[in-house]
Amino acid sequence: MANEKIPYKIYLEETQMPKAWYNLRADMRNKPAPLLNPQTLEPMSVDELSAVFCKELAIQELDDTTPFVDIPDEILSFYKMYRPSPLVRAYCLEEKLKTPAKVYYKFEGNNTSGSHKLNSAIAQAYYAKKQGLVGVTTETGAGQWGTALSMACAYLGLDCKVYMVKVSYEQKPFRRELMRTYGASVTPSPSAETQCGRKILAAHPETGGSLGCAISEAVEKAVGTPGYRYVLGSVLNQVLLHQSIIGLETKAALDKYEIVPDIIIGCAGGGSNLGGLIAPFMGQKLRGEADYRIIAVEPVSCPSLTRGVYAYDFCDTGMICPLSKMYTLGSGFIPAPNHAGGLRYHGMSTTLSQLYHDGLMEARSVEQTKVFEAAELFARTEGILPAPESSHAIRAAIDEAENCSLTGEEKTIVFGLTGTGYFDMTAYEKYNDGKMSDYVPTDEEIGESLANLPKV
Amino acid sequence: MANEKIPYKIYLEETQMPKAWYNLRADMRNKPAPLLNPQTLEPMSVDELSAVFCKELAIQELDDTTPFVDIPDEILSFYKMYRPSPLVRAYCLEEKLKTPAKVYYKFEGNNTSGSHKLNSAIAQAYYAKKQGLVGVTTETGAGQWGTALSMACAYLGLDCKVYMVKVSYEQKPFRRELMRTYGASVTPSPSAETQCGRKILAAHPETGGSLGCAISEAVEKAVGTPGYRYVLGSVLNQVLLHQSIIGLETKAALDKYEIVPDIIIGCAGGGSNLGGLIAPFMGQKLRGEADYRIIAVEPVSCPSLTRGVYAYDFCDTGMICPLSKMYTLGSGFIPAPNHAGGLRYHGMSTTLSQLYHDGLMEARSVEQTKVFEAAELFARTEGILPAPESSHAIRAAIDEAENCSLTGEEKTIVFGLTGTGYFDMTAYEKYNDGKMSDYVPTDEEIGESLANLPKV
């Protein structure tokens, strides 16, 4: 089909959908560093992890040798409700930018959860159900993950308990109601339901909560309730495995028209979207079959790859989760409030951290106002209102396309459009009113937080 | 492809997209009654209409003989950004209902405006641009139409002025911000910008406004500002013409798999979605080529087809627009507040009114709480959070599917899922909290309103 005109949207047929996830770790020579038990500092075993995660997911978490994992039929059926997602040629954006570059985006927002999070939510819920569990617990900040998990649990008839950072619970009532519509119970965190929550409430009765605290509550609840396990929407290897569906579909769609990208761009918070999008391309790179520029884009306010250090750190502020070796700003780092809630994590997926450390990908950070400028341009030309998180990738894609305008190069750029911004209108309002600002953390702030890294 | 397994989602290829709209009126033996000049009571001419609408649209409004109207290339390009929309087989819903029926829905919500309104918005904006106009004015209540028009105008670089019913402007700030992100100017109505607005403000300084008043302001502004025209998102024949893209795609997708529907269901407010969805099927019916049950679903709180009369009436409460012969509850009818803002119009498209009058389609009304019950079930099984408007069609489709469970008939049901409910979470919250109620207008209320019909 090489000479055919590329359509605006490339959809795979259902029969062309990937039937297995791709485990990038299998092709890595330098494997991601193991998770460590925070007490013993020894690598975590499947058995240890199984107290928190369901068994099959604990296995997936530690498996760095199996290249492909079959997607169970039940998950494939669910995927078929909203996948394959389109790979869109941004003809209108290209024209607006007058760039010789060819820009494509993989759009993951065409499902009610509004983002790619659903790809892993259904997988994690499925394995929980298969193990005979009653329900799962999780935390949510911006709410995309909590919504996705609620949808997956509603489909499978699994109980879903979400600890939502209190300030989001109050400021994002629509997200909360969306989860409730899908039957989830949503509790503002910190809550009186857990020891950890009660402790924090006693010390800071007026606190708006934090993601770190919500994680601790969700884990405590899962571990202390028979028939429950904890699930998480990013950072983990298992999540990257499930999200590889994004990259596999993207690659299949490009192959259909014999398109070879030059640059692949994704926004990076914990790494779930980026890791999924780049998986098969990075695999080719690792096997020496192809070369691509791969760019992670993060907010200047939370620059773990570009200003953090590569070291073992806690994944949560409560320090009860395993230690993970990653690019981190320190688990005590509190990013300045910004509107890309999904990118406000202090660390980064171990797998992506290792790849970045090995020079296999680039990273850059962008300012919030520049991100919304890109978001607005994108919305007006391509029609889709992007999530603030996704708009980090849009910013970088536009910058690269504009470089091509200067050099005259006809590069092919692919970026991940992870979701929609329907529940982020407060942020857009701020931008529309010219009231949005940028914050760059000082070296001192980051240094202070990094001084408290665990001694491993 | 008759024996192939029907996929979850049937997507047409871009090359299979309709290239012309279908004008249902051309096949009607009993043509819809003409619009009348409210002063002279004579049929409106193209010239008279051109003072309010742009020329090409005035022609489309009155043309009841041309069966197909070519879709201009620029509109086709825009359509390709978000169309073809999927025809989805509701496998999960069928399984949940344990029905032998086969249920399909045409999903129009996969674009940022969140509904089918974009199909006509881009057409109306295009003809305005082609005529060399500077901008367009319109009104919006629930906000779907205003959003769609803002998107279309942003794409074409046309000025867009939206009068938004004040109570919605205040209670739906996210809708407002979405329009502003697309560069529209949004004014709460009544405003001091128009004579009509000032008059109402003087008499009722605390009013929250109404759609009727917002229409009057938008028309006044358009007529009084050089280079501007007024555009409307429903009711008009031109809108049904543009919306025929929904039905044409639906029919093409069904034909691809040799599927013949038994029942076609759409929600009905002003008739834009229903008229578009049923167009080619009704055409077959009119030409005696096929027969289908076609069902219009409206809220019990605003039952124009099921409890209104077929008569000439004003289209707006300000009584400045042409008179239209339609099923109406009277232009002074104020429907009880309900959460399907898009279905709260006192009248109905002239074309649909004539077809209903001629016994070519059925109508039924449903209660709000039953509608949200259906919406919740649909969201949990099919994943998509439906708009309250669309959920009227879901309710009827579920009822028909459940009938099939009783009779054992394997009927094929197609319904229109016009949009998503992301901006209707206040309604879902009310339902989640068990605080939603139903209101059925009394015969006296309707009778009082109908007593004021114009004498034609």
Side-chain angles (χ1 to χ4, degrees), chain A residues 8-9 14 80 83 112 180-182 379-380 383 385 432-433, chain B residues 8-9 14 80 83 112 177 180-182 379-380 383 385 433:
Chain A
Y8 280 67
K9 301 184 290 318
E14 262 175 36
K80 284 179 189 167
R83 307 199 68 82
T112 285
R180 288 183 68 208
T181 298
Y182 283 94
R380 292 187 184 183
L385 184 85
N432 292 339
D433 290 340
Chain B
Y8 280 66
K9 301 185 290 317
E14 263 174 36
K80 284 179 187 167
R83 308 199 68 83
T112 285
E177 291 308 320
R180 288 183 69 208
T181 298
Y182 283 95
R380 292 188 184 182
L385 183 86
D433 290 340

PDB file of all heavy atoms in Angstrom, chain A residues 8-9 14 80 83 112 180-182 379-380 383 385 432-433, chain B residues 8-9 14 80 83 112 177 180-182 379-380 383 385 433:
ATOM      1  N   TYR A   8      -6.623  10.003   6.695  1.00  0.00           N
ATOM      2  CA  TYR A   8      -6.518  10.812   7.911  1.00  0.00           C
ATOM      3  C   TYR A   8      -6.356   9.912   9.128  1.00  0.00           C
ATOM      4  O   TYR A   8      -5.607  10.208  10.044  1.00  0.00           O
ATOM      5  CB  TYR A   8      -7.781  11.666   8.089  1.00  0.00           C
ATOM      6  CG  TYR A   8      -7.808  12.920   7.252  1.00  0.00           C
ATOM      7  CD1 TYR A   8      -7.898  12.843   5.864  1.00  0.00           C
ATOM      8  CD2 TYR A   8      -7.751  14.174   7.840  1.00  0.00           C
ATOM      9  CE1 TYR A   8      -7.926  14.003   5.091  1.00  0.00           C
ATOM     10  CE2 TYR A   8      -7.789  15.341   7.077  1.00  0.00           C
ATOM     11  CZ  TYR A   8      -7.869  15.248   5.706  1.00  0.00           C
ATOM     12  OH  TYR A   8      -7.901  16.387   4.953  1.00  0.00           O
ATOM     13  N   LYS A   9      -7.095   8.829   9.140  1.00  0.00           N
ATOM     14  CA  LYS A   9      -7.026   7.939  10.301  1.00  0.00           C
ATOM     15  C   LYS A   9      -6.740   6.525   9.811  1.00  0.00           C
ATOM     16  O   LYS A   9      -7.482   6.014   8.977  1.00  0.00           O
ATOM     17  CB  LYS A   9      -8.344   7.941  11.080  1.00  0.00           C
ATOM     18  CG  LYS A   9      -8.747   9.317  11.597  1.00  0.00           C
ATOM     19  CD  LYS A   9      -9.991   9.301  12.449  1.00  0.00           C
ATOM     20  CE  LYS A   9     -11.280   9.027  11.710  1.00  0.00           C
ATOM     21  NZ  LYS A   9     -11.483   9.677  10.424  1.00  0.00           N
ATOM     22  N   GLU A  14     -10.175  -5.498  13.146  1.00  0.00           N
ATOM     23  CA  GLU A  14     -10.132  -6.248  14.406  1.00  0.00           C
ATOM     24  C   GLU A  14      -9.219  -7.472  14.309  1.00  0.00           C
ATOM     25  O   GLU A  14      -8.526  -7.823  15.256  1.00  0.00           O
ATOM     26  CB  GLU A  14     -11.545  -6.708  14.778  1.00  0.00           C
ATOM     27  CG  GLU A  14     -12.189  -5.791  15.781  1.00  0.00           C
ATOM     28  CD  GLU A  14     -13.636  -6.146  16.076  1.00  0.00           C
ATOM     29  OE1 GLU A  14     -13.980  -7.340  16.095  1.00  0.00           O
ATOM     30  OE2 GLU A  14     -14.405  -5.214  16.275  1.00  0.00           O
ATOM     31  N   LYS A  80     -11.780  -4.842  22.218  1.00  0.00           N
ATOM     32  CA  LYS A  80     -12.510  -4.623  20.967  1.00  0.00           C
ATOM     33  C   LYS A  80     -13.632  -3.600  21.116  1.00  0.00           C
ATOM     34  O   LYS A  80     -14.142  -3.081  20.131  1.00  0.00           O
ATOM     35  CB  LYS A  80     -13.074  -5.945  20.440  1.00  0.00           C
ATOM     36  CG  LYS A  80     -12.003  -6.801  19.796  1.00  0.00           C
ATOM     37  CD  LYS A  80     -12.566  -8.111  19.296  1.00  0.00           C
ATOM     38  CE  LYS A  80     -11.435  -9.036  18.854  1.00  0.00           C
ATOM     39  NZ  LYS A  80     -11.935 -10.422  18.654  1.00  0.00           N
ATOM     40  N   ARG A  83     -10.878  -0.448  21.080  1.00  0.00           N
ATOM     41  CA  ARG A  83      -9.678  -0.569  20.275  1.00  0.00           C
ATOM     42  C   ARG A  83     -10.040  -1.281  18.970  1.00  0.00           C
ATOM     43  O   ARG A  83     -11.086  -1.904  18.903  1.00  0.00           O
ATOM     44  CB  ARG A  83      -8.584  -1.395  20.993  1.00  0.00           C
ATOM     45  CG  ARG A  83      -8.252  -0.918  22.389  1.00  0.00           C
ATOM     46  CD  ARG A  83      -6.911  -1.450  22.844  1.00  0.00           C
ATOM     47  NE  ARG A  83      -5.855  -0.834  22.054  1.00  0.00           N
ATOM     48  CZ  ARG A  83      -5.341   0.383  22.297  1.00  0.00           C
ATOM     49  NH1 ARG A  83      -5.774   1.066  23.325  1.00  0.00           N
ATOM     50  NH2 ARG A  83      -4.428   0.900  21.509  1.00  0.00           N
ATOM     51  N   THR A 112     -14.430   6.182  27.384  1.00  0.00           N
ATOM     52  CA  THR A 112     -14.983   7.057  28.413  1.00  0.00           C
ATOM     53  C   THR A 112     -14.003   7.413  29.523  1.00  0.00           C
ATOM     54  O   THR A 112     -14.082   8.481  30.101  1.00  0.00           O
ATOM     55  CB  THR A 112     -16.288   6.456  28.967  1.00  0.00           C
ATOM     56  OG1 THR A 112     -17.311   6.667  27.985  1.00  0.00           O
ATOM     57  CG2 THR A 112     -16.717   7.116  30.262  1.00  0.00           C
ATOM     58  N   ARG A 180     -18.297   6.878  40.288  1.00  0.00           N
ATOM     59  CA  ARG A 180     -19.479   6.347  40.983  1.00  0.00           C
ATOM     60  C   ARG A 180     -20.485   5.773  39.992  1.00  0.00           C
ATOM     61  O   ARG A 180     -21.145   4.765  40.284  1.00  0.00           O
ATOM     62  CB  ARG A 180     -20.141   7.443  41.839  1.00  0.00           C
ATOM     63  CG  ARG A 180     -19.327   7.802  43.076  1.00  0.00           C
ATOM     64  CD  ARG A 180     -20.056   8.831  43.915  1.00  0.00           C
ATOM     65  NE  ARG A 180     -21.270   8.304  44.544  1.00  0.00           N
ATOM     66  CZ  ARG A 180     -22.343   9.028  44.857  1.00  0.00           C
ATOM     67  NH1 ARG A 180     -22.355  10.329  44.608  1.00  0.00           N
ATOM     68  NH2 ARG A 180     -23.395   8.471  45.422  1.00  0.00           N
ATOM     69  N   THR A 181     -20.621   6.407  38.851  1.00  0.00           N
ATOM     70  CA  THR A 181     -21.527   5.882  37.825  1.00  0.00           C
ATOM     71  C   THR A 181     -21.106   4.478  37.417  1.00  0.00           C
ATOM     72  O   THR A 181     -21.932   3.632  37.096  1.00  0.00           O
ATOM     73  CB  THR A 181     -21.554   6.827  36.607  1.00  0.00           C
ATOM     74  OG1 THR A 181     -22.045   8.100  37.030  1.00  0.00           O
ATOM     75  CG2 THR A 181     -22.448   6.295  35.496  1.00  0.00           C
ATOM     76  N   TYR A 182     -19.800   4.228  37.459  1.00  0.00           N
ATOM     77  CA  TYR A 182     -19.304   2.885  37.138  1.00  0.00           C
ATOM     78  C   TYR A 182     -19.277   1.989  38.382  1.00  0.00           C
ATOM     79  O   TYR A 182     -18.666   0.927  38.371  1.00  0.00           O
ATOM     80  CB  TYR A 182     -17.942   2.966  36.458  1.00  0.00           C
ATOM     81  CG  TYR A 182     -18.090   3.369  35.015  1.00  0.00           C
ATOM     82  CD1 TYR A 182     -17.999   4.700  34.625  1.00  0.00           C
ATOM     83  CD2 TYR A 182     -18.414   2.424  34.053  1.00  0.00           C
ATOM     84  CE1 TYR A 182     -18.196   5.073  33.304  1.00  0.00           C
ATOM     85  CE2 TYR A 182     -18.613   2.785  32.727  1.00  0.00           C
ATOM     86  CZ  TYR A 182     -18.503   4.101  32.360  1.00  0.00           C
ATOM     87  OH  TYR A 182     -18.711   4.464  31.058  1.00  0.00           O
ATOM     88  N   ALA A 379      -6.014  21.773  19.394  1.00  0.00           N
ATOM     89  CA  ALA A 379      -7.477  21.677  19.473  1.00  0.00           C
ATOM     90  C   ALA A 379      -8.125  22.388  18.291  1.00  0.00           C
ATOM     91  O   ALA A 379      -9.064  21.881  17.671  1.00  0.00           O
ATOM     92  CB  ALA A 379      -7.975  22.277  20.783  1.00  0.00           C
ATOM     93  N   ARG A 380      -7.610  23.558  17.976  1.00  0.00           N
ATOM     94  CA  ARG A 380      -8.235  24.349  16.915  1.00  0.00           C
ATOM     95  C   ARG A 380      -7.985  23.786  15.522  1.00  0.00           C
ATOM     96  O   ARG A 380      -8.784  24.009  14.620  1.00  0.00           O
ATOM     97  CB  ARG A 380      -7.748  25.801  16.995  1.00  0.00           C
ATOM     98  CG  ARG A 380      -8.258  26.506  18.245  1.00  0.00           C
ATOM     99  CD  ARG A 380      -7.926  27.989  18.236  1.00  0.00           C
ATOM    100  NE  ARG A 380      -8.342  28.604  19.492  1.00  0.00           N
ATOM    101  CZ  ARG A 380      -8.235  29.906  19.749  1.00  0.00           C
ATOM    102  NH1 ARG A 380      -7.729  30.716  18.840  1.00  0.00           N
ATOM    103  NH2 ARG A 380      -8.635  30.389  20.906  1.00  0.00           N
ATOM    104  N   GLY A 383      -9.049  19.456  16.044  1.00  0.00           N
ATOM    105  CA  GLY A 383     -10.392  19.209  16.571  1.00  0.00           C
ATOM    106  C   GLY A 383     -10.424  18.615  17.965  1.00  0.00           C
ATOM    107  O   GLY A 383     -11.323  18.900  18.725  1.00  0.00           O
ATOM    108  N   LEU A 385      -9.700  18.065  21.836  1.00  0.00           N
ATOM    109  CA  LEU A 385      -9.222  18.797  23.007  1.00  0.00           C
ATOM    110  C   LEU A 385      -8.302  17.861  23.793  1.00  0.00           C
ATOM    111  O   LEU A 385      -8.755  16.883  24.387  1.00  0.00           O
ATOM    112  CB  LEU A 385     -10.390  19.214  23.903  1.00  0.00           C
ATOM    113  CG  LEU A 385      -9.954  20.064  25.087  1.00  0.00           C
ATOM    114  CD1 LEU A 385      -9.868  21.533  24.676  1.00  0.00           C
ATOM    115  CD2 LEU A 385     -10.895  19.890  26.264  1.00  0.00           C
ATOM    116  N   ASN A 432      -7.037  30.370  29.257  1.00  0.00           N
ATOM    117  CA  ASN A 432      -7.851  31.321  28.480  1.00  0.00           C
ATOM    118  C   ASN A 432      -7.833  32.712  29.103  1.00  0.00           C
ATOM    119  O   ASN A 432      -7.881  33.713  28.406  1.00  0.00           O
ATOM    120  CB  ASN A 432      -9.313  30.846  28.391  1.00  0.00           C
ATOM    121  CG  ASN A 432      -9.470  29.584  27.538  1.00  0.00           C
ATOM    122  OD1 ASN A 432      -8.619  29.276  26.706  1.00  0.00           O
ATOM    123  ND2 ASN A 432     -10.554  28.849  27.756  1.00  0.00           N
ATOM    124  N   ASP A 433      -7.791  32.737  30.441  1.00  0.00           N
ATOM    125  CA  ASP A 433      -7.821  34.020  31.145  1.00  0.00           C
ATOM    126  C   ASP A 433      -6.430  34.625  31.328  1.00  0.00           C
ATOM    127  O   ASP A 433      -6.285  35.645  32.001  1.00  0.00           O
ATOM    128  CB  ASP A 433      -8.481  33.846  32.521  1.00  0.00           C
ATOM    129  CG  ASP A 433      -9.981  33.582  32.407  1.00  0.00           C
ATOM    130  OD1 ASP A 433     -10.554  33.905  31.351  1.00  0.00           O
ATOM    131  OD2 ASP A 433     -10.580  33.063  33.374  1.00  0.00           O
TER     132      ASP A 433
ATOM    133  N   TYR B   8     -16.974  -5.845  16.396  1.00  0.00           N
ATOM    134  CA  TYR B   8     -17.567  -4.971  17.411  1.00  0.00           C
ATOM    135  C   TYR B   8     -17.875  -3.609  16.816  1.00  0.00           C
ATOM    136  O   TYR B   8     -18.897  -3.008  17.100  1.00  0.00           O
ATOM    137  CB  TYR B   8     -16.608  -4.792  18.592  1.00  0.00           C
ATOM    138  CG  TYR B   8     -16.612  -5.940  19.572  1.00  0.00           C
ATOM    139  CD1 TYR B   8     -16.146  -7.201  19.197  1.00  0.00           C
ATOM    140  CD2 TYR B   8     -17.072  -5.774  20.866  1.00  0.00           C
ATOM    141  CE1 TYR B   8     -16.148  -8.257  20.089  1.00  0.00           C
ATOM    142  CE2 TYR B   8     -17.074  -6.824  21.768  1.00  0.00           C
ATOM    143  CZ  TYR B   8     -16.613  -8.060  21.386  1.00  0.00           C
ATOM    144  OH  TYR B   8     -16.619  -9.097  22.273  1.00  0.00           O
ATOM    145  N   LYS B   9     -16.951  -3.128  15.997  1.00  0.00           N
ATOM    146  CA  LYS B   9     -17.144  -1.799  15.416  1.00  0.00           C
ATOM    147  C   LYS B   9     -16.972  -1.902  13.913  1.00  0.00           C
ATOM    148  O   LYS B   9     -15.948  -2.393  13.441  1.00  0.00           O
ATOM    149  CB  LYS B   9     -16.107  -0.806  15.968  1.00  0.00           C
ATOM    150  CG  LYS B   9     -16.161  -0.645  17.480  1.00  0.00           C
ATOM    151  CD  LYS B   9     -15.224   0.414  18.017  1.00  0.00           C
ATOM    152  CE  LYS B   9     -13.755   0.074  17.945  1.00  0.00           C
ATOM    153  NZ  LYS B   9     -13.338  -1.258  18.308  1.00  0.00           N
ATOM    154  N   GLU B  14     -12.180   5.477   4.416  1.00  0.00           N
ATOM    155  CA  GLU B  14     -12.406   6.869   4.003  1.00  0.00           C
ATOM    156  C   GLU B  14     -12.988   6.943   2.600  1.00  0.00           C
ATOM    157  O   GLU B  14     -13.841   7.789   2.294  1.00  0.00           O
ATOM    158  CB  GLU B  14     -11.090   7.652   4.044  1.00  0.00           C
ATOM    159  CG  GLU B  14     -10.935   8.441   5.326  1.00  0.00           C
ATOM    160  CD  GLU B  14      -9.590   9.112   5.455  1.00  0.00           C
ATOM    161  OE1 GLU B  14      -9.039   9.571   4.442  1.00  0.00           O
ATOM    162  OE2 GLU B  14      -9.098   9.161   6.576  1.00  0.00           O
ATOM    163  N   LYS B  80     -13.287  14.060   7.580  1.00  0.00           N
ATOM    164  CA  LYS B  80     -12.302  12.972   7.702  1.00  0.00           C
ATOM    165  C   LYS B  80     -11.506  13.040   9.000  1.00  0.00           C
ATOM    166  O   LYS B  80     -10.877  12.062   9.390  1.00  0.00           O
ATOM    167  CB  LYS B  80     -11.359  12.994   6.499  1.00  0.00           C
ATOM    168  CG  LYS B  80     -12.017  12.431   5.247  1.00  0.00           C
ATOM    169  CD  LYS B  80     -11.079  12.484   4.056  1.00  0.00           C
ATOM    170  CE  LYS B  80     -11.813  12.081   2.785  1.00  0.00           C
ATOM    171  NZ  LYS B  80     -11.023  12.415   1.578  1.00  0.00           N
ATOM    172  N   ARG B  83     -14.724  11.510  11.162  1.00  0.00           N
ATOM    173  CA  ARG B  83     -15.596  10.539  10.548  1.00  0.00           C
ATOM    174  C   ARG B  83     -14.758   9.595   9.697  1.00  0.00           C
ATOM    175  O   ARG B  83     -13.632   9.936   9.371  1.00  0.00           O
ATOM    176  CB  ARG B  83     -16.655  11.215   9.646  1.00  0.00           C
ATOM    177  CG  ARG B  83     -17.444  12.328  10.304  1.00  0.00           C
ATOM    178  CD  ARG B  83     -18.723  12.592   9.545  1.00  0.00           C
ATOM    179  NE  ARG B  83     -19.628  11.456   9.679  1.00  0.00           N
ATOM    180  CZ  ARG B  83     -20.435  11.256  10.723  1.00  0.00           C
ATOM    181  NH1 ARG B  83     -20.485  12.112  11.683  1.00  0.00           N
ATOM    182  NH2 ARG B  83     -21.186  10.179  10.783  1.00  0.00           N
ATOM    183  N   THR B 112     -14.492  16.177  19.813  1.00  0.00           N
ATOM    184  CA  THR B 112     -14.431  16.996  21.026  1.00  0.00           C
ATOM    185  C   THR B 112     -15.732  17.719  21.343  1.00  0.00           C
ATOM    186  O   THR B 112     -16.047  17.946  22.501  1.00  0.00           O
ATOM    187  CB  THR B 112     -13.230  17.955  20.960  1.00  0.00           C
ATOM    188  OG1 THR B 112     -12.045  17.183  21.196  1.00  0.00           O
ATOM    189  CG2 THR B 112     -13.315  19.053  22.007  1.00  0.00           C
ATOM    190  N   GLU B 177     -15.846  27.293  28.788  1.00  0.00           N
ATOM    191  CA  GLU B 177     -14.396  27.353  28.568  1.00  0.00           C
ATOM    192  C   GLU B 177     -13.985  26.557  27.338  1.00  0.00           C
ATOM    193  O   GLU B 177     -13.030  26.899  26.658  1.00  0.00           O
ATOM    194  CB  GLU B 177     -13.636  26.862  29.801  1.00  0.00           C
ATOM    195  CG  GLU B 177     -13.755  27.803  30.988  1.00  0.00           C
ATOM    196  CD  GLU B 177     -13.400  29.246  30.630  1.00  0.00           C
ATOM    197  OE1 GLU B 177     -12.440  29.477  29.864  1.00  0.00           O
ATOM    198  OE2 GLU B 177     -14.108  30.158  31.109  1.00  0.00           O
ATOM    199  N   ARG B 180     -14.547  28.818  24.531  1.00  0.00           N
ATOM    200  CA  ARG B 180     -13.523  29.876  24.522  1.00  0.00           C
ATOM    201  C   ARG B 180     -12.188  29.324  24.025  1.00  0.00           C
ATOM    202  O   ARG B 180     -11.436  30.020  23.338  1.00  0.00           O
ATOM    203  CB  ARG B 180     -13.356  30.477  25.917  1.00  0.00           C
ATOM    204  CG  ARG B 180     -14.535  31.353  26.336  1.00  0.00           C
ATOM    205  CD  ARG B 180     -14.281  31.986  27.698  1.00  0.00           C
ATOM    206  NE  ARG B 180     -13.222  32.975  27.662  1.00  0.00           N
ATOM    207  CZ  ARG B 180     -12.445  33.286  28.707  1.00  0.00           C
ATOM    208  NH1 ARG B 180     -12.622  32.679  29.868  1.00  0.00           N
ATOM    209  NH2 ARG B 180     -11.505  34.190  28.602  1.00  0.00           N
ATOM    210  N   THR B 181     -11.875  28.076  24.386  1.00  0.00           N
ATOM    211  CA  THR B 181     -10.632  27.475  23.908  1.00  0.00           C
ATOM    212  C   THR B 181     -10.625  27.417  22.381  1.00  0.00           C
ATOM    213  O   THR B 181      -9.587  27.534  21.750  1.00  0.00           O
ATOM    214  CB  THR B 181     -10.458  26.069  24.516  1.00  0.00           C
ATOM    215  OG1 THR B 181     -10.378  26.203  25.934  1.00  0.00           O
ATOM    216  CG2 THR B 181      -9.196  25.389  24.014  1.00  0.00           C
ATOM    217  N   TYR B 182     -11.805  27.266  21.816  1.00  0.00           N
ATOM    218  CA  TYR B 182     -11.914  27.262  20.352  1.00  0.00           C
ATOM    219  C   TYR B 182     -12.101  28.671  19.795  1.00  0.00           C
ATOM    220  O   TYR B 182     -12.459  28.846  18.634  1.00  0.00           O
ATOM    221  CB  TYR B 182     -13.025  26.310  19.899  1.00  0.00           C
ATOM    222  CG  TYR B 182     -12.569  24.875  19.982  1.00  0.00           C
ATOM    223  CD1 TYR B 182     -12.833  24.098  21.098  1.00  0.00           C
ATOM    224  CD2 TYR B 182     -11.806  24.330  18.954  1.00  0.00           C
ATOM    225  CE1 TYR B 182     -12.359  22.801  21.189  1.00  0.00           C
ATOM    226  CE2 TYR B 182     -11.335  23.033  19.039  1.00  0.00           C
ATOM    227  CZ  TYR B 182     -11.614  22.273  20.154  1.00  0.00           C
ATOM    228  OH  TYR B 182     -11.130  20.998  20.241  1.00  0.00           O
ATOM    229  N   ALA B 379     -23.436   2.393  30.172  1.00  0.00           N
ATOM    230  CA  ALA B 379     -22.063   2.795  30.506  1.00  0.00           C
ATOM    231  C   ALA B 379     -21.286   1.618  31.081  1.00  0.00           C
ATOM    232  O   ALA B 379     -20.133   1.383  30.722  1.00  0.00           O
ATOM    233  CB  ALA B 379     -22.079   3.954  31.502  1.00  0.00           C
ATOM    234  N   ARG B 380     -21.934   0.871  31.952  1.00  0.00           N
ATOM    235  CA  ARG B 380     -21.218  -0.222  32.622  1.00  0.00           C
ATOM    236  C   ARG B 380     -20.959  -1.400  31.693  1.00  0.00           C
ATOM    237  O   ARG B 380     -20.012  -2.147  31.915  1.00  0.00           O
ATOM    238  CB  ARG B 380     -22.001  -0.673  33.849  1.00  0.00           C
ATOM    239  CG  ARG B 380     -22.021   0.394  34.931  1.00  0.00           C
ATOM    240  CD  ARG B 380     -22.627  -0.122  36.227  1.00  0.00           C
ATOM    241  NE  ARG B 380     -22.714   0.961  37.202  1.00  0.00           N
ATOM    242  CZ  ARG B 380     -23.160   0.796  38.443  1.00  0.00           C
ATOM    243  NH1 ARG B 380     -23.574  -0.385  38.852  1.00  0.00           N
ATOM    244  NH2 ARG B 380     -23.207   1.818  39.271  1.00  0.00           N
ATOM    245  N   GLY B 383     -19.188   0.570  28.073  1.00  0.00           N
ATOM    246  CA  GLY B 383     -18.018   1.419  28.315  1.00  0.00           C
ATOM    247  C   GLY B 383     -18.250   2.900  28.109  1.00  0.00           C
ATOM    248  O   GLY B 383     -17.681   3.708  28.804  1.00  0.00           O
ATOM    249  N   LEU B 385     -19.892   6.510  28.312  1.00  0.00           N
ATOM    250  CA  LEU B 385     -20.822   7.294  29.126  1.00  0.00           C
ATOM    251  C   LEU B 385     -21.699   8.115  28.189  1.00  0.00           C
ATOM    252  O   LEU B 385     -21.222   9.049  27.543  1.00  0.00           O
ATOM    253  CB  LEU B 385     -20.051   8.235  30.053  1.00  0.00           C
ATOM    254  CG  LEU B 385     -20.956   9.026  30.995  1.00  0.00           C
ATOM    255  CD1 LEU B 385     -21.240   8.184  32.246  1.00  0.00           C
ATOM    256  CD2 LEU B 385     -20.337  10.358  31.373  1.00  0.00           C
ATOM    257  N   ASP B 433     -27.078   9.822  43.486  1.00  0.00           N
ATOM    258  CA  ASP B 433     -27.506  10.112  44.856  1.00  0.00           C
ATOM    259  C   ASP B 433     -28.991   9.825  45.073  1.00  0.00           C
ATOM    260  O   ASP B 433     -29.517  10.117  46.150  1.00  0.00           O
ATOM    261  CB  ASP B 433     -27.218  11.588  45.200  1.00  0.00           C
ATOM    262  CG  ASP B 433     -25.730  11.864  45.335  1.00  0.00           C
ATOM    263  OD1 ASP B 433     -24.967  10.889  45.537  1.00  0.00           O
ATOM    264  OD2 ASP B 433     -25.317  13.039  45.242  1.00  0.00           O
TER     265      ASP B 433
END
